[in-house]
Amino acid sequence: MKNKKLKSIFLLSILIVVMFMIVNIFSSYFNIKKTVVNSVVNQNIEAAKSIAASMDTETYKLFLRNPVKNDYYYEVKGYLEDAREKNGALHVYTLLVNNPNVSRAMIVAMSAEEKEEFPIGGICTVPEEQVRMAYFGKIFSTNIISDSIYGDYLTVGVPIKDKTDEIIGYLGIDISADIVNNISDKALRSSISSFVFNGLFVILMVAAFFVLQNWYSRELKKEVGDTEDTYQTELQSLVSSVQSLRHDYSNHIQVVHGLLRLGQTDKALEYLSILAKEIHMIKSIALDVNNPGLSVLLQTKKLAAQNHQIQIEFEVVQDSYSTLTTTDLIKILSNLIDNAIDATTELPEQKRKMKIVCKVDAKHYIFEVANTGNPIRDKDKDLIFKSGYSTKKEQHGKLRGQGLFIVKETVSRYGGEIAITSDNNQTIARVTIPINKGN
């Protein structure tokens, strides 16, 4: 069910990315086309200014006095046709703008393919908005105009001024929409690779997100599993200890009951006195520990030690020990304490002693587990942190030599250190971990 949900989310994300790419392409196409139109318009306005500035305005004024096909007409037309060919325009022509609504084309330079010559004074297709701009002496440009005769084109117009700077007409240039479309298409094609790259990048980012999320979920599950295993182990140890105590005291009750039935009251009282001392030893430890995991661990190990008749002492400073995860804190201490219990039980009961220290200085957490027992030989001190190496006797079905290796690996991840000192009196395992260094 979870995998299906993740696949659905992934497919939905891909669909959104594809839709985003499509919208981006269309949006980019219109933006590119608008940019191209503006570029073409600006370019042709400059061209129109140049053509108008170089035009023989005196000859054109003579034509305007008698607007017919005379020498003045053909002289100006020849100039406009030459300008049209050089500029690659659809049409180059002069306009008469003597009212704010309609403009009239006076001399028009057209391509040879256009058979019908535009009449002198014919009404032009320049929109009324642009005609009004020209009427007030402004430069104008149109959007693409659809014409049933000349096709689709856009127009720019600039004033024609004589030597006295008086506006005597307008110079218009029509640019074919094919030019705009061709430039837009080329620009779009050159941008497709960028669109595809951006789309693939987004897809890869989405995929990477899901991969990282999946990895994090696995790591989190593993971490939770490790924590659960650790707590289960400690809980099983606690249950085993309680069961052992229950079994022992069941036997004790039977002994006391038997002595009383036999009338041996003094021996029964003596036996109960010994039991009372043991019960006093099994009282709960009063520790002010601000870490629930650590508190449970110490309570469990206290009971386990007492079940092995080990005198155990605690020196625990109140602290959350938050630099370490609860899992790692328990890995470190449970392995050290278990090793200490194993070593101590090799001694007679009266010599079995342990001390557990958890304290904090200005820069470090300090954990110490001290125990009586046989000293560690010098030749073993350099080997005990290796995986699989153990100084204990092998037991069937029990994996040895992993405890100190796990502790070493865990402590190293936090930039900490572990040291073992051992003599005939006791063995001390000391761990120091920087407070401000994460793993």
mmCIF file of all heavy atoms in Angstrom, residues 18-43:
data_model
loop_
_atom_site.group_PDB
_atom_site.id
_atom_site.type_symbol
_atom_site.label_atom_id
_atom_site.label_comp_id
_atom_site.label_asym_id
_atom_site.label_seq_id
_atom_site.Cartn_x
_atom_site.Cartn_y
_atom_site.Cartn_z
ATOM 1 N N VAL A 18 5.915 17.628 -16.348
ATOM 2 C CA VAL A 18 5.647 17.673 -17.788
ATOM 3 C C VAL A 18 4.714 18.843 -18.117
ATOM 4 O O VAL A 18 4.942 19.581 -19.086
ATOM 5 C CB VAL A 18 5.033 16.332 -18.264
ATOM 6 C CG1 VAL A 18 4.558 16.445 -19.712
ATOM 7 C CG2 VAL A 18 6.062 15.218 -18.144
ATOM 8 N N MET A 19 3.670 19.010 -17.306
ATOM 9 C CA MET A 19 2.746 20.127 -17.534
ATOM 10 C C MET A 19 3.478 21.457 -17.372
ATOM 11 O O MET A 19 3.252 22.398 -18.141
ATOM 12 C CB MET A 19 1.575 20.040 -16.549
ATOM 13 C CG MET A 19 0.633 18.878 -16.817
ATOM 14 S SD MET A 19 -0.714 18.783 -15.614
ATOM 15 C CE MET A 19 -1.564 20.327 -15.936
ATOM 16 N N PHE A 20 4.341 21.503 -16.381
ATOM 17 C CA PHE A 20 5.129 22.716 -16.169
ATOM 18 C C PHE A 20 5.995 23.024 -17.382
ATOM 19 O O PHE A 20 6.113 24.175 -17.813
ATOM 20 C CB PHE A 20 6.002 22.542 -14.921
ATOM 21 C CG PHE A 20 7.059 23.596 -14.759
ATOM 22 C CD1 PHE A 20 6.742 24.849 -14.285
ATOM 23 C CD2 PHE A 20 8.387 23.322 -15.094
ATOM 24 C CE1 PHE A 20 7.720 25.818 -14.141
ATOM 25 C CE2 PHE A 20 9.362 24.285 -14.959
ATOM 26 C CZ PHE A 20 9.022 25.540 -14.479
ATOM 27 N N MET A 21 6.605 21.963 -17.956
ATOM 28 C CA MET A 21 7.446 22.150 -19.141
ATOM 29 C C MET A 21 6.622 22.658 -20.326
ATOM 30 O O MET A 21 7.053 23.543 -21.058
ATOM 31 C CB MET A 21 8.132 20.831 -19.503
ATOM 32 C CG MET A 21 9.234 20.416 -18.546
ATOM 33 S SD MET A 21 9.923 18.795 -18.959
ATOM 34 C CE MET A 21 10.601 19.147 -20.592
ATOM 35 N N ILE A 22 5.415 22.075 -20.507
ATOM 36 C CA ILE A 22 4.556 22.498 -21.625
ATOM 37 C C ILE A 22 4.144 23.957 -21.464
ATOM 38 O O ILE A 22 4.229 24.757 -22.401
ATOM 39 C CB ILE A 22 3.317 21.588 -21.713
ATOM 40 C CG1 ILE A 22 3.740 20.164 -22.120
ATOM 41 C CG2 ILE A 22 2.314 22.138 -22.723
ATOM 42 C CD1 ILE A 22 2.621 19.154 -22.053
ATOM 43 N N VAL A 23 3.690 24.290 -20.252
ATOM 44 C CA VAL A 23 3.301 25.685 -19.987
ATOM 45 C C VAL A 23 4.493 26.611 -20.166
ATOM 46 O O VAL A 23 4.376 27.702 -20.735
ATOM 47 C CB VAL A 23 2.717 25.812 -18.557
ATOM 48 C CG1 VAL A 23 2.511 27.278 -18.188
ATOM 49 C CG2 VAL A 23 1.396 25.067 -18.456
ATOM 50 N N ASN A 24 5.661 26.141 -19.710
ATOM 51 C CA ASN A 24 6.876 26.944 -19.826
ATOM 52 C C ASN A 24 7.249 27.174 -21.291
ATOM 53 O O ASN A 24 7.660 28.277 -21.679
ATOM 54 C CB ASN A 24 8.024 26.237 -19.093
ATOM 55 C CG ASN A 24 9.223 27.142 -18.913
ATOM 56 O OD1 ASN A 24 9.108 28.361 -18.913
ATOM 57 N ND2 ASN A 24 10.385 26.548 -18.776
ATOM 58 N N ILE A 25 7.080 26.127 -22.132
ATOM 59 C CA ILE A 25 7.402 26.255 -23.551
ATOM 60 C C ILE A 25 6.471 27.252 -24.225
ATOM 61 O O ILE A 25 6.910 28.139 -24.969
ATOM 62 C CB ILE A 25 7.328 24.880 -24.244
ATOM 63 C CG1 ILE A 25 8.515 24.010 -23.807
ATOM 64 C CG2 ILE A 25 7.334 25.025 -25.761
ATOM 65 C CD1 ILE A 25 8.445 22.584 -24.285
ATOM 66 N N PHE A 26 5.152 27.111 -23.953
ATOM 67 C CA PHE A 26 4.195 28.041 -24.560
ATOM 68 C C PHE A 26 4.421 29.469 -24.076
ATOM 69 O O PHE A 26 4.396 30.427 -24.861
ATOM 70 C CB PHE A 26 2.762 27.600 -24.253
ATOM 71 C CG PHE A 26 2.245 26.559 -25.191
ATOM 72 C CD1 PHE A 26 2.183 25.232 -24.803
ATOM 73 C CD2 PHE A 26 1.843 26.892 -26.485
ATOM 74 C CE1 PHE A 26 1.721 24.253 -25.664
ATOM 75 C CE2 PHE A 26 1.377 25.924 -27.360
ATOM 76 C CZ PHE A 26 1.310 24.599 -26.956
ATOM 77 N N SER A 27 4.655 29.590 -22.758
ATOM 78 C CA SER A 27 4.902 30.923 -22.205
ATOM 79 C C SER A 27 6.167 31.524 -22.802
ATOM 80 O O SER A 27 6.202 32.713 -23.178
ATOM 81 C CB SER A 27 5.027 30.825 -20.682
ATOM 82 O OG SER A 27 5.387 32.059 -20.122
ATOM 83 N N SER A 28 7.193 30.676 -22.913
ATOM 84 C CA SER A 28 8.453 31.153 -23.485
ATOM 85 C C SER A 28 8.282 31.513 -24.960
ATOM 86 O O SER A 28 8.885 32.477 -25.436
ATOM 87 C CB SER A 28 9.537 30.084 -23.338
ATOM 88 O OG SER A 28 9.788 29.816 -21.983
ATOM 89 N N TYR A 29 7.452 30.724 -25.671
ATOM 90 C CA TYR A 29 7.231 31.009 -27.094
ATOM 91 C C TYR A 29 6.632 32.407 -27.266
ATOM 92 O O TYR A 29 7.101 33.202 -28.091
ATOM 93 C CB TYR A 29 6.308 29.963 -27.698
ATOM 94 C CG TYR A 29 5.901 30.275 -29.118
ATOM 95 C CD1 TYR A 29 6.785 30.070 -30.173
ATOM 96 C CD2 TYR A 29 4.645 30.809 -29.403
ATOM 97 C CE1 TYR A 29 6.425 30.378 -31.476
ATOM 98 C CE2 TYR A 29 4.271 31.120 -30.701
ATOM 99 C CZ TYR A 29 5.170 30.893 -31.733
ATOM 100 O OH TYR A 29 4.810 31.199 -33.015
ATOM 101 N N PHE A 30 5.594 32.701 -26.469
ATOM 102 C CA PHE A 30 4.949 34.011 -26.601
ATOM 103 C C PHE A 30 5.876 35.137 -26.139
ATOM 104 O O PHE A 30 5.890 36.227 -26.729
ATOM 105 C CB PHE A 30 3.632 34.036 -25.810
ATOM 106 C CG PHE A 30 2.550 33.205 -26.443
ATOM 107 C CD1 PHE A 30 2.075 32.068 -25.823
ATOM 108 C CD2 PHE A 30 2.007 33.560 -27.680
ATOM 109 C CE1 PHE A 30 1.094 31.287 -26.411
ATOM 110 C CE2 PHE A 30 1.009 32.794 -28.277
ATOM 111 C CZ PHE A 30 0.547 31.655 -27.641
ATOM 112 N N ASN A 31 6.653 34.863 -25.083
ATOM 113 C CA ASN A 31 7.609 35.878 -24.631
ATOM 114 C C ASN A 31 8.698 36.116 -25.683
ATOM 115 O O ASN A 31 9.091 37.262 -25.937
ATOM 116 C CB ASN A 31 8.250 35.449 -23.312
ATOM 117 C CG ASN A 31 7.292 35.549 -22.145
ATOM 118 O OD1 ASN A 31 6.348 36.349 -22.191
ATOM 119 N ND2 ASN A 31 7.500 34.759 -21.120
ATOM 120 N N ILE A 32 9.167 35.006 -26.281
ATOM 121 C CA ILE A 32 10.190 35.130 -27.325
ATOM 122 C C ILE A 32 9.631 35.886 -28.514
ATOM 123 O O ILE A 32 10.291 36.773 -29.081
ATOM 124 C CB ILE A 32 10.690 33.729 -27.743
ATOM 125 C CG1 ILE A 32 11.575 33.134 -26.638
ATOM 126 C CG2 ILE A 32 11.477 33.787 -29.051
ATOM 127 C CD1 ILE A 32 11.953 31.684 -26.867
ATOM 128 N N LYS A 33 8.385 35.541 -28.898
ATOM 129 C CA LYS A 33 7.772 36.202 -30.056
ATOM 130 C C LYS A 33 7.603 37.698 -29.786
ATOM 131 O O LYS A 33 7.878 38.533 -30.656
ATOM 132 C CB LYS A 33 6.417 35.571 -30.364
ATOM 133 C CG LYS A 33 5.856 35.989 -31.718
ATOM 134 C CD LYS A 33 4.734 35.077 -32.148
ATOM 135 C CE LYS A 33 4.282 35.448 -33.558
ATOM 136 N NZ LYS A 33 3.230 34.550 -34.046
ATOM 137 N N LYS A 34 7.177 38.022 -28.564
ATOM 138 C CA LYS A 34 7.013 39.431 -28.211
ATOM 139 C C LYS A 34 8.357 40.156 -28.257
ATOM 140 O O LYS A 34 8.463 41.289 -28.756
ATOM 141 C CB LYS A 34 6.396 39.539 -26.812
ATOM 142 C CG LYS A 34 6.096 40.976 -26.394
ATOM 143 C CD LYS A 34 5.430 41.003 -25.025
ATOM 144 C CE LYS A 34 5.142 42.443 -24.597
ATOM 145 N NZ LYS A 34 4.515 42.483 -23.253
ATOM 146 N N THR A 35 9.381 39.471 -27.731
ATOM 147 C CA THR A 35 10.722 40.070 -27.741
ATOM 148 C C THR A 35 11.220 40.265 -29.165
ATOM 149 O O THR A 35 11.816 41.309 -29.495
ATOM 150 C CB THR A 35 11.703 39.161 -26.958
ATOM 151 O OG1 THR A 35 11.232 39.007 -25.619
ATOM 152 C CG2 THR A 35 13.091 39.774 -26.932
ATOM 153 N N VAL A 36 10.974 39.250 -30.013
ATOM 154 C CA VAL A 36 11.398 39.344 -31.410
ATOM 155 C C VAL A 36 10.673 40.486 -32.114
ATOM 156 O O VAL A 36 11.280 41.258 -32.870
ATOM 157 C CB VAL A 36 11.151 37.999 -32.139
ATOM 158 C CG1 VAL A 36 11.341 38.162 -33.635
ATOM 159 C CG2 VAL A 36 12.096 36.931 -31.597
ATOM 160 N N VAL A 37 9.353 40.598 -31.891
ATOM 161 C CA VAL A 37 8.568 41.682 -32.505
ATOM 162 C C VAL A 37 9.136 43.030 -32.095
ATOM 163 O O VAL A 37 9.342 43.916 -32.944
ATOM 164 C CB VAL A 37 7.080 41.567 -32.103
ATOM 165 C CG1 VAL A 37 6.327 42.850 -32.479
ATOM 166 C CG2 VAL A 37 6.436 40.368 -32.793
ATOM 167 N N ASN A 38 9.393 43.178 -30.788
ATOM 168 C CA ASN A 38 9.944 44.456 -30.309
ATOM 169 C C ASN A 38 11.307 44.730 -30.939
ATOM 170 O O ASN A 38 11.614 45.880 -31.299
ATOM 171 C CB ASN A 38 10.075 44.434 -28.786
ATOM 172 C CG ASN A 38 8.736 44.461 -28.090
ATOM 173 O OD1 ASN A 38 7.738 44.931 -28.661
ATOM 174 N ND2 ASN A 38 8.674 43.966 -26.860
ATOM 175 N N SER A 39 12.111 43.677 -31.058
ATOM 176 C CA SER A 39 13.436 43.839 -31.655
ATOM 177 C C SER A 39 13.334 44.244 -33.125
ATOM 178 O O SER A 39 14.039 45.154 -33.586
ATOM 179 C CB SER A 39 14.230 42.538 -31.507
ATOM 180 O OG SER A 39 15.490 42.644 -32.125
ATOM 181 N N VAL A 40 12.438 43.540 -33.859
ATOM 182 C CA VAL A 40 12.255 43.852 -35.289
ATOM 183 C C VAL A 40 11.711 45.261 -35.464
ATOM 184 O O VAL A 40 12.137 46.020 -36.355
ATOM 185 C CB VAL A 40 11.319 42.805 -35.946
ATOM 186 C CG1 VAL A 40 10.916 43.247 -37.351
ATOM 187 C CG2 VAL A 40 11.992 41.442 -35.986
ATOM 188 N N VAL A 41 10.748 45.627 -34.604
ATOM 189 C CA VAL A 41 10.168 46.977 -34.678
ATOM 190 C C VAL A 41 11.238 48.034 -34.452
ATOM 191 O O VAL A 41 11.358 49.004 -35.221
ATOM 192 C CB VAL A 41 9.026 47.113 -33.646
ATOM 193 C CG1 VAL A 41 8.676 48.587 -33.421
ATOM 194 C CG2 VAL A 41 7.793 46.357 -34.114
ATOM 195 N N ASN A 42 12.021 47.867 -33.388
ATOM 196 C CA ASN A 42 13.059 48.862 -33.078
ATOM 197 C C ASN A 42 14.099 48.958 -34.198
ATOM 198 O O ASN A 42 14.554 50.060 -34.553
ATOM 199 C CB ASN A 42 13.751 48.509 -31.760
ATOM 200 C CG ASN A 42 12.830 48.671 -30.562
ATOM 201 O OD1 ASN A 42 11.902 49.498 -30.598
ATOM 202 N ND2 ASN A 42 13.063 47.905 -29.521
ATOM 203 N N GLN A 43 14.456 47.792 -34.734
ATOM 204 C CA GLN A 43 15.431 47.777 -35.823
ATOM 205 C C GLN A 43 14.905 48.526 -37.049
ATOM 206 O O GLN A 43 15.625 49.313 -37.679
ATOM 207 C CB GLN A 43 15.757 46.330 -36.186
ATOM 208 C CG GLN A 43 16.787 46.184 -37.303
ATOM 209 C CD GLN A 43 17.057 44.724 -37.634
ATOM 210 O OE1 GLN A 43 16.621 43.830 -36.945
ATOM 211 N NE2 GLN A 43 17.769 44.504 -38.722
#
